[in-house]
Amino acid sequence: MLARFGVPVPRGEVVFSAAEAGQVARRLGGDVVVVKAQIHAGGRGKGGGVKLARSADEAEELAKQMIGMTLVTHQTGPEGKKVARVLIEEGLQIDRELYLSIVIDRGSASPVVIASAAGGMDIEEVAASEPEKILREPIDAGTGVIPFQARKLAFGMGLPAAAAGKFVKLLDSVYKAFIETDASMIEINPLILTKSGDLLALDAKVAFDDNAMYRHQDLRDFRDLSEEDPLEVDASTFSLNYIRLDGTIGCMVNGAGLAMATMDIIKLAGGEPANFLDVGGGANAEQIKNAFRILMADSNVKAVLINIFGGILRCDVLAAGVIAAVTELGVPVPIVIRMEGTNVEEGKRMLKESGLNFTTADSMGEAADTVVALAKKK
């Protein structure tokens, strides 16, 4: 993707078998190739997912060891990620490793370039221990990157004059990629300066705005569902915002802010949320049923807290959806419901007369205390 916009990158190919790895290594030639595990997590090198091979046969052997292995890094958690593919890339003579990224700064409502001479390291650690090494340059969306801004960053990172000129062109290309792909982040770590004075993006992570994906079918084709939680993939097909967590209390909430507050108050009450689940303001009975189905697919869930503010989603519509879902799915765990807003009394009446085992609460605090107590009994 970066190469398409003129960003210099190493030559390389993704492969799915050891035999392919050997073939690609031979095509690339040179004394060294790099075998890189392709998973959705950082810290691969420390976990054994990035290896140097000094021959095509060695590249084939390393790929054989890597493909199918479970790679554990500080970002995967202890369960790790299974490696299904590897990148075979040409080896390069590295002189320096730098850091470069473009993200959206919500404070200034503009893109901001973040650069550092301390590349190849965890940028969070650098920011915490040596904040003076982090350079920031806000970009006016009307002008894009102005050359003097790029030179300022280049010299701030200590690049020599010849490399600084190349950095101006490279940053312009990265910014163009950022804008034209509707990216929310492009992080190049490391950006390398080679012994011969060239700059290349050696590794990168890119995040895109989901709301713009309809404009980028080519990028949608890159999606690898095997790298995502199956329940999260399932939820996305019903326009549900679901993120799986490690707790025992399932949450169903309308609105991201209320969902975050609900998770906080569960923790305050001594419990642990099992998920973030925002059904959205306009949820219907079908979405509510599927939300329950996804919640119940997590075997760790011991109780469910439904916290709804009835604005766009009326409380009586929610109650009807919940009753239908529980009746159809036979939800085996306690359900605590806290509703407030439009038609709240009608919603509570429907729940009470349903004959199902619902517990209602009038406040978030009461709801959290109740659901934590019920979860501990299971």
Side-chain angles (χ1 to χ4, degrees):
M1 188 211 85
L2 291 175
R4 196 167 78 232
F5 291 92
V7 180
V9 298
R11 294 178 302 128
E13 295 179 38
V14 172
V15 300
F16 296 83
S17 70
E20 289 179 284
Q23 292 166 11
V24 172
R26 290 182 184 92
R27 280 201 297 272
L28 291 174
D31 298 327
V32 176
V33 295
V34 188
V35 183
K36 296 183 177 181
Q38 301 295 283
I39 61 169
H40 287 190
R44 293 167 301 159
K46 294 176 183 176
V50 179
K51 301 280 190 180
L52 294 180
R54 302 192 181 279
S55 70
D57 289 341
E58 187 179 359
E60 191 168 326
E61 180 58 33
L62 289 172
K64 184 177 180 181
Q65 296 170 14
M66 224 174 270
I67 294 172
M69 73 179 283
T70 298
L71 181 56
V72 179
T73 78
H74 67 283
Q75 289 188 10
T76 63
E79 68 280 4
K81 289 265 192 184
K82 188 173 181 179
V83 179
R85 65 190 77 189
V86 295
L87 173 65
I88 309 299
E89 195 171 75
E90 66 176 326
L92 296 165
Q93 294 292 322
I94 300 172
D95 184 44
R96 290 185 58 193
E97 296 188 353
L98 312 166
Y99 175 92
L100 176 67
S101 68
I102 303 179
V103 296
I104 297 293
D105 177 13
R106 297 185 185 278
S108 63
S110 68
V112 60
V113 179
I114 302 174
S116 177
M121 300 170 59
D122 292 330
I123 199 66
E124 295 84 0
E125 291 181 14
V126 177
S129 60
E130 300 175 282
E132 71 281 358
K133 289 187 176 180
I134 305 294
L135 309 174
R136 294 177 176 84
E137 193 67 32
I139 305 301
D140 187 313
T143 63
V145 180
I146 299 173
F148 90 84
Q149 293 179 296
R151 287 194 293 273
K152 177 181 172 184
L153 290 168
F155 291 126
M157 290 188 288
L159 287 175
K166 294 178 180 178
F167 181 79
V168 173
K169 185 177 179 182
L170 180 141
L171 180 55
D172 187 64
S173 297
V174 174
Y175 182 75
K176 187 177 181 183
F178 181 84
I179 295 298
E180 293 194 15
T181 63
D182 292 296
S184 54
M185 177 193 77
I186 294 180
E187 180 184 63
I188 299 171
N189 188 26
L191 171 69
I192 62 163
L193 177 66
T194 66
K195 300 284 188 184
S196 59
D198 293 320
L199 287 169
L200 292 95
L202 192 62
D203 206 355
K205 292 179 187 172
V206 185
F208 303 103
D209 183 347
D210 290 346
N211 295 309
M213 279 294 97
Y214 71 94
R215 291 199 287 252
H216 304 287
Q217 183 58 48
D218 58 326
L219 298 177
R220 292 175 66 178
D221 291 342
F222 283 132
R223 187 177 183 187
D224 181 2
L225 296 180
S226 67
E227 284 287 316
E228 302 178 35
D229 186 293
L231 291 180
E232 294 179 17
V233 174
D234 191 10
S236 70
T237 64
F238 298 101
S239 300
L240 299 169
N241 296 308
Y242 173 89
I243 298 172
R244 193 172 185 174
L245 302 172
D246 298 326
T248 59
I249 297 171
C251 306
M252 185 190 302
V253 190
N254 66 329
L258 185 60
M260 297 294 287
T262 301
M263 294 195 301
D264 285 346
I265 204 162
I266 287 171
K267 290 183 73 71
L268 187 64
E272 288 292 335
N275 62 274
F276 170 100
L277 174 56
D278 171 17
V279 298
N284 54 38
E286 185 69 14
Q287 283 178 303
I288 291 168
K289 183 182 80 171
N290 282 299
F292 261 112
R293 182 177 55 77
I294 290 164
L295 285 179
M296 290 301 97
D298 183 353
S299 60
N300 292 329
V301 171
K302 306 301 181 188
V304 173
L305 172 57
I306 300 174
N307 188 11
I308 297 293
F309 179 76
I312 301 172
L313 174 60
R314 302 194 326 252
C315 292
D316 58 326
V317 173
L318 168 83
V322 169
I323 292 167
V326 172
T327 302
E328 182 177 338
L329 299 173
V331 178
V333 301
I335 300 170
V336 178
I337 302 175
R338 180 259 180 179
M339 295 188 297
E340 197 59 70
T342 307
N343 292 357
V344 63
E345 295 305 325
E346 174 65 11
K348 287 182 177 179
R349 182 193 65 77
M350 293 168 66
L351 293 171
K352 185 176 181 181
E353 294 178 1
S354 70
L356 298 170
N357 185 24
F358 297 122
T359 302
T360 58
D362 293 323
S363 70
M364 286 177 63
E366 180 191 351
D369 289 338
T370 303
V371 78
V372 169
L374 290 170
K376 288 179 179 177
K377 289 180 183 178
K378 291 291 289 182

